[in-house]
Every structure is written in structure tokens, then in C-alpha cells.
Amino acid sequence: MTRVVATTPGLFPLPDWAKEDLSDLKGHQKDDLISGDESDEIIAAYNRARSEVIDRQQEAGLDRIVEGQLRWDDMLAHPLAVADEVEMRGIVRYYDNNNFYREPVVTDELSTTGDIAAELDSASEQVDAGLQAVLPGPYSLADLATDDHYGDEAAFLDGIAEFLADEADQFPDVETLFLLEPSLVENAPEDGEDERASEAIDTVASAVDADVVAHTYWGALEEKVYAHLMDADVDAIGFDLVSNHDENVYNVQEYGTKDDVALGLVDGQNTLVESPETIRERIDWFDDQTNGDYDTVYATSNTELFYLPVNKAEAKLDALANAAELEEVPQ
Amino acid sequence: MTGPREQFKPADHPNDHFLMTTVVGSYPKPKWLHRARDLYEEEDRNFDEENFEEAKDDASRLITKEHERCGIDVVCDGEMRRNEMVEYFAHRIDGYEFNGRVKVWGHNYFDKPSVVDEVEYDQEWLISEYEFTSDVADSPVKVPITGPYTLASWSFNEVYDDEAELAYELADLVNEEIEGLVEAGARYIQIDEPALATTPDDHAIVGECLERIADNVPDDVRLGLHVCYGDYSRIYPEILDYPVHEYDLELVNGDFEQLDVFKDDEFTKDFAMGVIDVHDAEVESVEEIKDNIKKGLEVVPPERLTVSPDCGLKLLPRDVAYGKMENMVQAAREIEAELDAGELDVAAVASADD
């Protein structure tokens, strides 16, 4: 029988008090954003916010708990923002959104920061079971960054993958690792690049002893990209059923998928809150369409949650957790 | 001449040529107005709605006159009553709700509203703002209004099938508001659509919105469209088909790199060209601004060139905003005089730089 695991891709909105306090403590300009050397006061504010976000997930009853990625001012580009060998330059658009991040320019060979491991260490004090790590997938992180050192795209992608693998290697015990790969959809890799993207995901996935989900969103993967991704040694691939359910289902019908699957079932970019029943119907629909006999279905929002106001993001956590509960009611 | 423009030329205009000077809209608020808002929003301060309204009236008077002192031909009140370009309108439209702030970048947030019911026209948006400003002003007044496409794009849509459908509904409301504005005497209305620059593939949706907005608007009312910070090659020349008289575009910030876009296909409407940078706190010299204006004359003849800042000035220190406007007007007047004197051959200007 399929186990439904309620989770999220992380990157939560900051609690409203923290929006206020941290902007006062840090400032509004691009040089004021996180670079990994925050003052004790700022660290304390983030610790408190992280703790609240974890509490709220536990209260909702999610099966996987993220630390919230509240420090990720530059969203998925964050791991580079705290690396010594990276210059954070001007503000650039974050995918096709009205959101912006600082362009990371990699100027030297990347070395491990331990930054994300430290966040997880802090979270693990509060999470007994089900801690989930979140990282940008190597292809997406390379896509969000500019290379001024490695020389060509293949070498840069390798460098980024190694860097992420080294970061992941330092993680405390986690149950699951979500690798977020929106760029695989938004800026699809070309011939040859698609195979390398899949190998890069392998590099990161093999650094952790946890279930790894390669989660994609903002549409569906091109067929060839999907076929290559199926070669990656991950436990599940994530599909955004909110933005494009038909093409995602088509990929699975045509090329199959892993024994586990992650489904983006609630919209991380709209305040309309889906009911647990709707979420459940979407899981059943996907199951039917793909003749799935999945060991695990990760029920998640399609995108990160920081696009939403806090009250709606929280309502979506409740809906996801309740949908997973529904599943356990005898049919 | 495209569009009703002559009506904005001041009776005592010193030159035969007329390069109309105007602004995009927002202007730095006096510090005391921010303080007044804080007092109004804090409880137990004994600073009520009436006090806050009085403060906004005072600010509107002050900034309208500040524009006139700079010599701007068509003025506005610097949007003293508006807190933000989407929120202000969403608060006045039935069907919107607010749930809290969302991140734009870093610690910059926006109270992004949600459309939770069909949008309907409720209270007026800008009619009293216009009436107050035109009462205060000796010069003609322009009304900037956030366009329906931007209102739709920068909201959560819980109700309509897609963003286009929401945008069209909002366009009908904008049309209704403009009808009221025209009745109140407004003759120059600028639709602000910054969201178009970021999603240029949607230019047909914006076109349909503008058709709805322009429906039944009298011929003597000048309609402008303001777009900023985008890749204009992806919307030009298509936008020339929109039912507006003038396009107000930001160009200084990108060092006029995109100017050639407008030369490849003839610019058949009025060109309101950004000649001062709103993201640089250094006041441009009159000479520098004159050079910028001459670039505009490479695109359109003087009778179709409007001189304006790149965008709203609100992020600048107030004295800098004032200095920039003052120099902008002086630069325009000097160019007019040179054109009158035949010292500036427009065609020659165009070919010399080609």
C-alpha cells in the first residue's frame, strides 16, 4: 500500500515579526543580505524564527520537517552566497517571478562552507524524526550563477555538484533530501548537457545516506531531459501537477518513474488554499493515470513557499498534512 | 501631431517650439508625511483619520506646487495619497483581500493582495485626488493610474481562470474610473504597466486591456502608457497599435542602449522619453540632459517629443528630485530656443549620430 508522506520543498516565508526585526537589524540594501558572517543578534533572530517554523510544521502534522531556509535571502542561490569564492553582484530576476536575488559570480574553486549543515544541526535539536534537508539541484544552482573560474559549462556544473556534495556530506542524519531543480524545466539543458545534469544530481545524491527527491517545477521536463533524469540514482522525481499535470503524467506514462514519487499538489504561488480532499483527489488521479503502485508518494507544494503570506503558507501545511491523514482512513 | 497636445502648452510659453515637460508620477514624500502615517497607524496616538487626511492634503498642495516651481508643464501631486502602486487600488476595488506581506527581494516586501471574489467597481480611486490637485495647480494635471495588467500580475488570483481574464475585468473598472476622471475634467491620463516589461510575451493582453480602457474616452483626452525596465525590442513596434497617444519609456538607466529599437521602425506616436535617471542620486547637468533630449529627437520630431524622468522619483532624496526636475525643464527650454533659432537642425542631429 502506498504511503503518503506530507512535506514541502522548504524556503518558507519569514514570520512577520522576523521580517520586521531582521530588516531593522540587517538593512535593506543588497550588501546587507546574508553572507555567512551574521552578528549574534541576527543569529538569535533566525534561531527563534527557525524554531517557530519547525513548531508550526510539527503542529500541522507534516511527516517531513524542514528547517525553513529562512536565511536564504538569495533563494536557491543561497549556498553560493555564503561561499568565500563567490562575489554577489547586482540584483537579477528569479526565474519568471517578480522576485530578485543577487547574481553569484564564482571566481575561484569552490570549497565547503558547512553553512547548511549548521542550519540542519540547529533544526535537529528540535526534530526527533523526519528531518528533511533542502538543496538547490546542481543544474539549477549552476544556472542561477555565473562562472568566472571553471571555464566551461561542463566543468562549472561538475564544480557546483562537487561543492553541493561536500556540503551534503556534512549534514547531520536526515531522512530525506529534496534537490530543487526548477531550471531543468525553465531553462532546459541541451543535448549532452541533459546527461551531465543527471550525473551531477547523482554526485550530490550519493553524498547522503537519505532518500533523495529530485523535484522539478514550473511545468514539465522535456522528454529527453526526463529520460536522462530517470538514469539518476535518486529515490523519487518530483512533478508539478499544479502548473502542468498533463505533460508530467505523459512523461511518467511514457518513461515510467521511480518506486517513489513526489507530487506538487498545492500551489506555492497562490493564496487559494486547496482542501485535503482536493489534494487527495489529485493523488488518486495521478495514481490512476500512471497505474502507479508507489511505495511512497511525497505530497508537497509545487514550489517553495516564500511567495505566500505566512497565514496562507501555514494553511497549506495543514491541508497537506490532513490530506496525508485522509489516506490512512480505511476506504 | 498625434493626440491632443497643444492644450497643455502654457499661454506664456517662451518659445515657438514646445517640448512638453512632465513627470511619471511618484515623488519623495516629505518626512513629516511618513511620520503622520505612523502616528495614524499607531493606536492611542490621538491622530485620527481627519488629521491624516489633512496631512495628505497639505503634502499634495506642497508637492504640486513644487512641480510648478520647477517649471514642469504638466504636473501631478507626486502621488502623496498613495502608499504603493498596486495596494492603493486593491484597497478600493471590491473582490480584493490582503493577507500579509510577501518577499520581493532581500528584506523588501510587498503587501500582495488576493482576488478572492469577482472584482467590482466600488468607491472612486483617483477622482478626488485629481479634483484636489487641479484645484491647487495653475498648470494642467496628469493622472497616473496603475494599469489592469500590472494590477492582475501583481496579485494572487483565486477566482479567474487566468491572469488575462482578471486583467480584462480590471480594465473595465479602469475604464469606469477614467470616465469619472474625464467628467471631473482630467485631460491627460497615463496608464502604468511596469509588469509588461517583465513578461513581454503578453503584449497582446495589454493591447486588449487598453482597447477596453480607451473605449468611449473622448478624443481630446490624452492617453499615455508608461513601461519601464524591460527589453523593448520584444514589445516594439507591436505596442504602436495600442489606442494611446504617447509612450513613456525609461532609457537613461540603460544608457540609451535600447534607443535604436525605436529607430528601426518609425515611431508613429508621441515619445515621452526618460531623460533623467531615477536610480542615481547625482543631479544631471543641464548640458547632459540636453544631450539626452537630442537623442529623443533622433526618434521623433520636436512636436512629438515629451520630456520626462525615467520613472517615478520617489526613491530619491527630495532635494535631488527637485534638482533633477529643475534641470530637466531648463534643458528642454534651451533646446526649444535652439530649435527656434535654427541652431539645431533636427534632421542633422539624427544623421550626425547615425
Side-chain angles (χ1 to χ4, degrees):
Chain A
M1 189 175 143
T2 303
R3 183 174 60 129
V4 176
V5 170
T7 186
T8 68
L11 287 90
F12 279 41
L14 273 169
D16 288 323
W17 66 262
K19 289 185 174 104
E20 221 42 72
D21 286 12
L22 284 163
S23 85
D24 289 347
L25 286 169
K26 287 162 64 186
H28 286 88
Q29 297 309 311
K30 64 184 164 76
D31 294 335
D32 301 329
L33 300 182
I34 289 288
S35 55
D37 55 358
E38 304 95 279
S39 69
D40 289 347
E41 239 180 330
I42 293 172
I43 292 171
Y46 277 115
N47 284 346
R48 184 181 148 205
R50 178 184 300 117
S51 174
E52 281 187 19
V53 163
I54 291 172
D55 275 345
R56 188 61 185 81
Q57 293 171 80
Q58 289 171 330
E59 183 195 321
L62 288 172
D63 301 300
R64 294 288 178 276
I65 307 293
V66 297
E67 69 86 29
Q69 292 71 42
L70 302 169
R71 287 172 65 250
W72 294 25
D73 284 338
D74 299 291
M75 289 81 93
L76 288 183
H78 169 80
L80 291 175
V82 292
D84 288 340
E85 305 80 7
V86 178
E87 255 178 55
M88 299 305 278
R89 294 198 185 151
I91 303 291
V92 290
R93 184 169 294 276
Y94 187 62
Y95 296 103
D96 194 14
N97 301 293
N98 191 30
N99 295 101
F100 303 84
Y101 70 104
R102 295 173 299 169
E103 180 193 10
V105 181
V106 178
T107 56
D108 204 344
E109 181 155 341
L110 291 162
S111 57
T112 323
T113 67
D115 180 273
I116 296 157
E119 291 179 339
L120 288 165
D121 282 335
S122 164
S124 67
E125 291 169 19
Q126 213 178 323
V127 182
D128 294 333
L131 184 62
Q132 174 183 303
V134 174
L135 281 176
Y139 180 77
S140 296
L141 186 56
D143 180 41
L144 290 169
T146 299
D147 171 36
D148 204 8
H149 169 73
Y150 289 91
D152 67 60
E153 276 185 19
F156 187 47
L157 182 59
D158 276 352
I160 293 276
E162 295 289 342
F163 166 71
L164 288 172
D166 290 345
E167 297 293 344
D169 189 45
Q170 302 201 356
F171 288 176
D173 283 346
V174 295
E175 192 90 23
T176 312
L177 165 63
F178 258 59
L179 291 175
L180 307 186
E181 282 284 26
S183 293
L184 283 178
V185 179
E186 285 279 293
N187 184 16
E190 300 182 353
D191 272 354
E193 219 183 350
D194 45 11
E195 193 177 346
R196 289 199 301 273
S198 166
E199 288 163 5
I201 288 173
D202 255 358
T203 302
V204 185
S206 59
V208 289
D209 182 19
D211 291 331
V212 178
V213 179
H215 185 58
T216 65
Y217 45 101
W218 291 319
L221 295 173
E222 288 173 11
E223 285 184 53
K224 205 155 164 284
V225 176
Y226 182 71
H228 278 293
L229 184 55
M230 273 300 288
D231 292 335
D233 189 15
V234 295
D235 299 279
I237 294 171
F239 302 96
D240 178 354
L241 300 190
V242 175
S243 66
N244 192 338
H245 50 267
D246 286 333
E247 280 179 40
N248 274 309
V249 158
Y250 170 84
N251 278 341
V252 176
Q253 287 168 338
E254 208 62 20
Y255 301 95
T257 195
K258 305 285 181 178
D259 293 340
D260 299 342
V261 67
L263 301 178
L265 301 161
V266 310
D267 193 342
Q269 298 188 286
N270 196 327
T271 45
L272 181 68
V273 179
E274 297 82 355
S275 71
E277 290 75 19
T278 300
I279 296 168
R280 179 67 216 169
E281 278 166 27
R282 290 175 183 175
I283 297 174
D284 292 343
W285 177 84
F286 183 86
D287 246 16
D288 287 349
Q289 295 290 313
T290 59
N291 295 316
D293 183 18
Y294 304 106
D295 294 340
T296 299
V297 171
Y298 294 95
T300 174
S301 63
N302 57 340
T303 67
E304 314 98 311
L305 289 171
F306 73 87
Y307 308 99
L308 294 170
V310 171
N311 62 343
K312 297 296 177 176
E314 291 184 349
K316 298 217 175 203
L317 301 183
D318 293 333
L320 283 166
N322 289 337
E325 291 282 311
L326 274 186
E327 209 271 336
E328 284 161 18
V329 175
Q331 301 290 305
Chain B
M1 175 160 312
T2 52
R5 176 182 172 114
E6 207 60 22
Q7 60 182 316
F8 303 110
K9 186 173 174 178
D12 59 351
H13 186 68
N15 304 313
D16 291 337
H17 277 89
F18 177 46
L19 299 176
M20 183 162 65
T21 58
T22 187
V23 288
V24 174
S26 72
Y27 192 78
K29 292 189 171 81
K31 284 196 185 78
W32 53 260
L33 183 60
H34 290 296
R35 180 74 187 125
R37 176 181 290 277
D38 289 345
L39 284 174
Y40 171 63
E41 286 173 355
E42 281 170 31
E43 279 169 36
D44 311 324
R45 280 301 193 151
N46 202 20
F47 193 88
D48 61 14
E49 172 105 38
E50 201 180 313
N51 297 134
F52 187 37
E53 285 304 316
E54 188 182 330
K56 286 189 285 187
D57 285 351
D58 288 345
S60 175
R61 272 188 205 99
L62 177 72
I63 301 302
T64 304
K65 286 294 170 193
E66 195 152 310
H67 283 84
E68 289 186 338
R69 277 204 305 283
C70 293
I72 298 280
D73 297 313
V74 184
V75 302
C76 69
D77 78 345
E79 303 180 1
M80 289 300 116
R81 297 166 199 281
R82 310 189 198 177
N83 48 345
E84 197 276 339
M85 67 178 299
V86 172
E87 284 170 43
Y88 176 87
F89 296 94
H91 275 295
R92 285 161 180 77
I93 300 172
D94 260 7
Y96 269 102
E97 111 184 347
F98 288 83
N99 283 290
R101 295 185 300 159
V102 300
K103 170 172 166 170
V104 178
W105 68 274
H107 288 288
N108 297 277
Y109 301 95
F110 158 51
D111 201 352
K112 185 173 175 178
S114 300
V115 174
V116 297
D117 205 345
E118 286 185 12
V119 291
E120 281 178 35
Y121 194 86
D122 179 21
Q123 49 181 313
E124 55 104 357
W125 308 349
L126 300 171
I127 294 166
S128 53
E129 178 196 281
Y130 169 75
E131 286 173 337
F132 186 93
T133 309
S134 61
D135 227 30
V136 169
D138 296 315
S139 310
V141 171
K142 168 158 120 176
V143 184
I145 177 166
T146 303
Y149 179 73
T150 297
L151 288 175
S153 301
W154 293 356
S155 307
F156 295 110
N157 169 16
E158 298 193 14
V159 175
Y160 295 92
D161 285 343
D162 55 38
E163 199 172 275
E165 200 192 317
L166 171 59
Y168 299 150
E169 291 297 321
L170 289 166
D172 290 342
L173 307 191
V174 174
N175 175 261
E176 197 170 337
E177 176 68 12
I178 289 179
E179 195 180 315
L181 283 165
V182 169
E183 227 166 83
R187 289 295 175 271
Y188 194 165
I189 292 163
Q190 170 189 289
I191 313 294
D192 295 332
E193 288 287 18
L196 172 60
T198 59
T199 43
D201 296 339
D202 283 350
H203 60 77
I205 298 174
V206 175
E208 170 61 23
C209 285
L210 287 165
E211 292 292 342
R212 287 166 183 251
I213 288 170
D215 189 40
N216 283 327
V217 174
D219 293 341
D220 64 339
V221 174
R222 181 177 180 80
L223 289 179
L225 176 72
H226 171 67
V227 182
C228 47
Y229 310 107
D231 177 357
Y232 299 131
S233 69
R234 294 178 63 188
I235 56 174
Y236 187 89
E238 289 81 357
I239 56 171
L240 289 175
D241 293 332
Y242 293 166
V244 298
H245 304 105
E246 176 181 81
Y247 299 92
D248 187 287
L249 304 162
E250 154 270 329
L251 282 156
V252 186
N253 190 251
D255 276 335
F256 293 94
E257 272 175 17
Q258 298 199 65
L259 194 68
D260 285 342
V261 170
F262 305 112
K263 295 186 197 166
D264 293 343
D265 289 272
E266 190 192 348
F267 205 107
T268 53
K269 301 279 187 75
D270 283 15
F271 183 31
M273 189 179 72
V275 298
I276 53 181
D277 192 346
V278 303
H279 287 294
D280 183 351
E282 196 174 320
V283 176
E284 293 91 343
S285 68
V286 172
E287 277 313 309
E288 193 180 334
I289 300 172
K290 283 172 74 178
D291 285 340
N292 292 346
I293 295 174
K294 287 178 196 166
K295 292 191 174 75
L297 293 172
E298 296 169 24
V299 175
V300 291
E303 62 274 18
R304 284 204 276 121
L305 184 67
T306 302
V307 172
S308 136
D310 262 359
C311 196
L313 298 167
K314 81 168 175 187
L315 295 176
L316 293 167
R318 188 163 143 209
D319 58 332
V320 172
Y322 187 90
K324 282 180 181 252
M325 290 202 305
E326 203 175 32
N327 283 0
M328 180 180 89
V329 172
Q330 195 188 328
R333 299 291 99 99
E334 287 183 16
I335 294 276
E336 288 168 350
E338 287 169 26
L339 285 165
D340 284 0
E343 290 164 14
L344 253 183
D345 181 352
V346 176
V349 170
S351 60
D353 274 22
D354 271 348

